[in-house]
Amino acid sequence: IRSRIERQKRFPRGARGQGRVVVRISVTRSGQVTGASVVRSSRNAQFDGAAMQAVSRAGRLPGAPAGLTDASYSFNLPMDFG
C-alpha cells in the first residue's frame, strides 16, 4: 500500500523546504479507500494537499491478505516531502 501511494506522490509546484505529513487511511478488505484525512500536518498546506492527492490518485489498493478478516482497516501513513 505504501509503495502504491508513494508512486503517486508529487512534490508541490512552487513549494520550498521539506515536511512530513501523516495521513490516516481507511481501506476495505478488497482495497477500496473509504476515508483519508491528515492527522498530523506538515504545517505547509501544499505538502498536506499533495499527500491527500497521492492517496486519491492511487485508486484501489491491494486487497488484504487471507489471514485478515475484518471488513476494513485503518492505519497512519507518514509521507515525507523534500
Side-chain angles (χ1 to χ4, degrees):
I1 290 174
R2 171 183 286 285
S3 65
R4 173 88 48 103
I5 293 172
E6 285 286 332
R7 283 193 303 266
Q8 299 303 318
K9 186 174 76 174
R10 307 285 184 270
F11 195 87
R13 182 173 279 178
R16 298 191 191 288
Q18 59 187 12
R20 172 174 272 199
V21 182
V22 179
V23 178
R24 180 102 177 141
I25 302 172
S26 298
V27 182
T28 65
R29 282 196 80 251
S30 65
Q32 180 180 355
V33 176
T34 58
S37 62
V38 173
V39 293
R40 190 173 311 134
S41 173
S42 65
R43 296 187 182 168
N44 181 319
Q46 290 176 300
F47 292 146
D48 294 355
M52 294 299 293
Q53 287 175 354
V55 173
S56 178
R57 279 195 298 268
R60 185 174 290 277
L61 300 172
L68 300 178
T69 57
D70 290 350
S72 65
Y73 295 88
S74 295
F75 56 94
N76 290 344
L77 177 66
M79 299 176 73
D80 294 316
F81 292 87

